[in-house]
Amino acid sequence: MSAIRIVENEQLKVCVSDHGAELCSIFDKKTGREAVWTADPAYWNRHAPVLFPFVGKVTGGFYTYEGQRYPMGQHGFARDREFLFLDADGSTIRHRLVSDEESRKVYPFDFELEIVHKLEGNCVTVEWKVNNPGEKRMYFSIGGHPGFCVSQNAGSRVVFEGKESLSRVAIDLETAGVDVEHPETLNLVQGAYQVDEHTFDRDALIFDHGQVKQVSLEEADGTRLVTMRCPDALSVGIWSPVGKQAPFICLEPWIGRCDNSGFTGELKDKFDIQSLEPGESFETAYDLVIGE
């Protein structure tokens, strides 16, 4: 059983596991409500995994780097690894994962991934830092996958303040790739989209090209549960399991994502892939504001 690290203040109690450096609880002391999905395996056995060094699936379960094929499962491997706990103080929890012999079998790069969870008021900030300590350019994607409890799935509201519509792409359930050839317009009512029983029939709602920098989740009665601010996100996914009407919805900030349908090219040509030269670092963060 992995250790759970805790920070808290007068408003929130935040728990992060050493396994995957995964945020596993944000308890709102004011309302007595748990914000983060409880990982009930009847629906989905995770809370808020980090997606690294890939977001989503790669075509056929393999990707190609310099002519060689490597196997890779959905969302990479960091979420299933034990992170090194660095330290915690009254407001901050720090973890690190580094490349090793096992990771190099499926991901031929040296890397250091640091994850920081920081609590201030009713806001939890998740910070990611990726370092390339190796001797060659490394390629990666990174994303968040936090799930949030809702009283009911259908009827919940996803709010994109200031937006009238968004361009959405869908996942082809046969190939698990994104169908970029047939984007759809998602029309909003006063910035809001109301989830119904068919919203997740084709998996996640995906918004590419930096369209979404902030999104909120509300109950059907308009009660604000959480607002995610993700200024650096290239794509944002909204997800709940297909066909389950699960009592949670994920708000997912991504930098890079799953392959476009039919993509079989080199890793360097993958959609929104990121790269670091030897000695370079990449840093980004997103905020989770609980309640109003």
Side-chain angles (χ1 to χ4, degrees):
M1 193 72 171
S2 298
I4 302 296
R5 314 297 175 173
I6 299 173
V7 291
E8 58 185 311
N9 59 19
E10 293 181 354
Q11 299 181 60
L12 303 177
K13 179 180 179 180
V14 177
C15 300
V16 179
S17 175
D18 289 353
H19 186 76
E22 183 175 5
L23 176 66
C24 52
S25 174
I26 304 176
F27 183 75
D28 187 335
K29 297 179 180 181
K30 179 181 178 181
T31 63
R33 180 188 179 102
E34 174 58 57
V36 174
W37 171 238
T38 58
D40 179 349
Y43 297 101
W44 184 53
N45 64 348
R46 300 180 189 269
H47 305 276
V50 62
L51 316 180
F52 178 87
F54 289 85
V55 173
K57 294 181 179 180
V58 292
T59 303
F62 291 86
Y63 68 95
T64 302
Y65 171 66
E66 294 187 343
Q68 182 172 340
R69 297 176 78 208
Y70 293 87
M72 182 57 62
Q74 185 176 23
H75 296 320
F77 51 75
R79 64 181 184 167
D80 294 318
R81 299 292 296 271
E82 205 72 14
F83 277 62
L84 174 66
F85 168 65
L86 297 177
D87 59 70
D89 56 28
S91 62
T92 302
I93 301 170
R94 296 179 176 87
H95 286 91
R96 178 184 294 145
L97 180 70
V98 300
S99 51
D100 57 22
E101 184 177 346
E102 286 302 306
S103 70
R104 293 186 194 98
K105 293 177 181 177
V106 295
Y107 184 64
F109 303 100
D110 292 326
F111 70 86
E112 296 174 350
L113 170 61
E114 292 190 9
I115 298 180
V116 177
H117 292 84
K118 187 177 300 182
L119 172 61
E120 183 175 352
N122 67 331
C123 177
V124 179
T125 299
V126 183
E127 299 177 352
W128 300 320
K129 183 176 181 179
V130 182
N131 299 319
N132 179 5
E135 297 179 352
K136 60 184 178 182
R137 178 185 295 177
M138 67 173 284
Y139 297 93
F140 70 96
S141 300
I142 191 166
H145 200 316
F148 302 99
C149 300
V150 293
S151 297
Q152 60 185 47
N153 193 296
S156 300
R157 289 161 33 100
V158 184
V159 181
F160 307 89
E161 292 184 8
K163 302 285 188 179
E164 295 181 356
S165 65
L166 292 165
S167 178
R168 173 254 176 128
V169 289
I171 291 177
D172 183 323
L173 296 182
E174 291 186 7
T175 68
V178 174
D179 180 9
V180 294
E181 300 299 322
H182 302 93
E184 302 172 358
T185 298
L186 190 75
N187 291 311
L188 308 174
V189 178
Q190 295 181 332
Y193 170 78
Q194 183 166 307
V195 174
D196 62 35
E197 61 270 23
H198 299 295
T199 292
F200 303 108
D201 284 355
R202 288 194 291 164
D203 209 276
L205 307 179
I206 299 175
F207 308 102
D208 285 336
H209 310 301
Q211 291 180 82
V212 176
K213 301 300 184 183
Q214 177 172 307
V215 56
S216 300
L217 180 62
E218 296 181 348
E219 296 279 28
D221 64 4
T223 299
R224 180 68 55 93
L225 300 175
V226 60
T227 296
M228 180 179 75
R229 300 188 299 233
C230 49
D232 297 335
L234 301 180
S235 299
V236 165
I238 312 296
W239 178 82
S240 195
V242 175
K244 290 190 174 183
Q245 294 300 303
F248 74 93
I249 293 174
C250 292
L251 308 179
E252 306 182 37
W254 302 336
I255 297 173
R257 61 154 170 75
C258 56
D259 287 336
N260 291 337
S261 292
F263 176 78
T264 57
E266 279 275 338
L267 178 60
K268 66 180 178 62
D269 299 319
K270 183 175 163 64
F271 183 85
D272 274 348
I273 195 72
Q274 304 297 297
S275 67
L276 287 174
E277 296 292 344
E280 287 187 339
S281 297
F282 167 91
E283 295 184 51
T284 188
Y286 69 95
D287 296 330
L288 301 173
V289 181
I290 304 303
E292 298 293 340

